[in-house]
Amino acid sequence: MLDGVDGRFANTFGGQALTKRETEVFLLVSQGLANKAVAGQLGVGEGTVKAHLHNIYRKLRVSNRTSLILSVIADRRK
């Protein structure tokens, strides 16, 4: 979905530090995976993925998955 998005970008996007796990969730979501698929890839429950997404949204000051992706796209165009 977002070619070229990597862990370094995810770790620094928005000036907020994401944890290693939040970065992994971010990268999988940026590839278009649903929460259930992300959970399967990481070997965690879907609720855990949702909790990580909530933290990512808070840190990056977005309200949902769509806003997250749009923010990444806008940031990359700078």
Side-chain angles (χ1 to χ4, degrees):
M1 177 180 266
L2 298 174
D3 295 335
V5 173
D6 63 21
R8 291 170 304 204
F9 180 77
N11 278 325
T12 60
F13 176 69
Q16 289 285 328
L18 299 180
T19 66
K20 180 181 178 199
R21 186 59 96 179
E22 289 167 351
T23 300
E24 292 169 340
V25 169
F26 173 88
L27 293 173
L28 292 171
V29 166
S30 73
Q31 294 172 22
L33 273 67
N35 291 353
K36 188 173 185 176
V38 172
Q41 287 275 332
L42 299 177
V44 298
E46 197 170 348
T48 301
V49 171
K50 290 178 183 180
H52 287 307
L53 282 170
H54 173 78
N55 291 334
I56 293 166
Y57 298 159
R58 180 182 49 78
K59 287 179 177 182
L60 302 183
R61 296 184 182 150
V62 297
S63 58
N64 56 48
R65 187 183 223 97
T66 302
S67 297
L68 175 64
I69 299 304
L70 291 174
S71 294
V72 171
I73 291 169
D75 193 73
R76 292 193 70 208
R77 289 185 177 164
K78 290 181 181 178

